[in-house]
Amino acid sequence: MSKAESDGQHLARLLETELQGKVALRRVSYSDRELADPIAKGRLVASLESAKLVVALGDESSRLVLGEVENARVYFVAASASGQTLRGGSVSCLFTYSAEDLLRALPEKAKRGVLVLYTPGYEPLLPEIKAAAAKAGAQVTAKSVAGRRQLPDAVRDTEDMTKAIWVLGDPILDEGASFEFLTERALALGLPLMTAAAGRVARGAALASVAAPESLTRRAAQAIAALAAGGKAGGLALAPAGGPIIYNAALKDRLGLSPRAPQWQKAQ
Amino acid sequence: MKRTAFLAALASLALPTLASAKVTFTGYGDLRYNAGTQFTLEAPPATLTRLGTTGTHATSRGFSANAIGLFASTQVQEDLQFLMDVTFKNIGSSVDDLSLQYAYLDWAPAGEAHVRGGRVTVPFGYYNENRFYAFQRYEITPPIFQSSILGLPIADWGVSGQDKFRFAPFTVEASAYVVNGYGSQSNQPTALRSISVLGGLTLSRNLHSTDNNHKPSGGARVSLQEIGGQKVETGLSYYGGWWDSSGLEPMYMLDYHLHAVYKGFDLLFETLHLGVRGDTGFQQSLGSPNWTTDGGFANLSYGELRVKGKTLAPYGQIESYRTRPNNGDSAREILRSWSAGLALAVSPQLTFKGEYLRLSYMLTDVASAGSVSLPADIVQLAAVVTF
């Protein structure tokens, strides 16, 4: 079983425990093989579409739901991406990373100019990020990027003031050619690149944060219970502080990172 | 590599349900290139005359769409789905065959139990439910006796039930069903199998389901799965019913299957015993209206070979079936085939295949005192896409 699978199972168990007796959950699991089988995939998507609320745990499930589910309400937990691809009656998302943890992990000089890049749809996160910046003693500048083509200019326009770059996880910015551009640019300028998905750290980013499963599922359970009672889940939210920081050991000295055990963990 | 992630679907009275169930469509295409088919039909003149055909040596080559299927799935309520498959088959310049492969309500009352009603895929053997579609298997050509003569998928109007019982060293899956059953040819009410149905030699689509009489057919299957925690499954299946319009002539089938996956090797072995009484259609060829077919097939593939990150699966398949009259005479119909090929999965949705197949068919026709021989060599390429 991969780490993603075991993490997903662990989150599912914690969530079921938190909601036991309060909300009836039905666990749905699937494999790559089933997704490649159009019969099995059709049955899976049909069952999700009819659910009153779909809770997607982790990036793998989030990608499936983002790609296939159109009408059901969706609550993403421990996802690293959200944004304008979400449609329909959804959507709420509890991201897997903590703004406060990430900003505190930066070297002091990097805190003085954090460029936050985001795509339309991520605006609701900005107040939480600014509040976390105030707590961490950081200064952030948020810049909306409409798409991949606008990314280079968005970075170059603010290079003079930028001491760190933080990408809020939309796949448009956080994957493929965009991610390669950001890692190269950050490396060339000697800036830490903070990313939403821990997996990106091994591929060139400097830092990522992962929520502690217990506090994450506690917050998710509160939101799900609120939804079950007919209330609103609160749009997009970041994970509570206190989880691990994933760092790129190869960039530690160059960027002046100061890993602190046990919270800091090397990217695998 | 298996990857699992978890979702949870919330069932709560507090949230409103959608006004109508959404239908999810998926599908597949099985596109073929016949790179070269050569077959020879040989028989004495009297036999050819009786069967309404002529001897021939033919070759063919060309592109076609073997099948394009559309699957529809909808969740009617939390424990009830409606599922349907409409498949366009043998598509050349026109569609030769439009089939409703299955269309049924699937009720999951508790645990792993399922009750299905409608046109259901009959739980018989392993291949029928797990390898019928081109995207479920590596080989291009399914076992010829099962697919062409018995007719895959074995699906019929009726009801089936299935459940799993988990024990420490294995899981038992039990299925039972009641369906309309196999029936006689539409223009020959006392013929179940006949190789001259349409006034010419007809080998394929020889058996088919039809609501022919007042007696339903039924059967069951019991399988041992995950034996010792390994991917090993073995099972026995039974089908029984009355095929003729009077409901007096029986037909039954017994099937044994073994499926094992070990270190990338995938082995499927399936045997069939088919017994029929009162078949005047095949009587003329076999010399008796009561006959039995015995045979089986084996399929072996290896799925762990990687070429530039893509799975390249070599495979081989053999089959042999003999049909004999119940009067003690030796087998009069012998069907054998073997095939070998490669399947390249370039993505989860697209697989390319190449295959060579050798078919050998022989029928001793008692009525004309002659034998029909049909050897064939077939080279095919295929592209199977799912969406």
Side-chain angles (χ1 to χ4, degrees), chain A residues 202-220:
Chain A
R203 290 167 49 195
L207 292 169
S209 104
V210 181
E214 292 76 13
S215 56
L216 186 75
T217 50
R218 213 171 294 128
R219 184 171 288 189

Side-chain angles (χ1 to χ4, degrees), chain A residues 5 9 23-24 26-28 30-32 37-38 42-43 46-47 49-50 52-53 55-57 60-61 71 227-228, chain B residues 2-12 14-18 22 24 26-27 71 73 75 81 83 106 133 135:
Chain A
E5 289 174 37
Q9 286 192 35
V23 174
R26 178 166 58 90
R27 192 191 286 203
V28 175
Y30 64 94
S31 64
D32 274 350
D37 181 327
R43 297 191 67 163
S47 70
E49 286 283 15
S50 70
K52 293 189 173 76
L53 176 71
V55 179
L57 300 178
E60 306 279 6
S61 305
N71 293 328
L227 276 168
Chain B
K2 187 176 181 216
R3 174 163 57 97
T4 310
F6 289 86
L7 307 167
L10 172 63
S12 163
L15 293 172
T17 52
L18 296 170
K22 183 174 183 287
T24 300
T26 52
F71 306 110
S73 311
Q75 195 85 24
Q81 280 190 330
L83 307 161
D106 187 340
Y133 293 98
F135 56 83

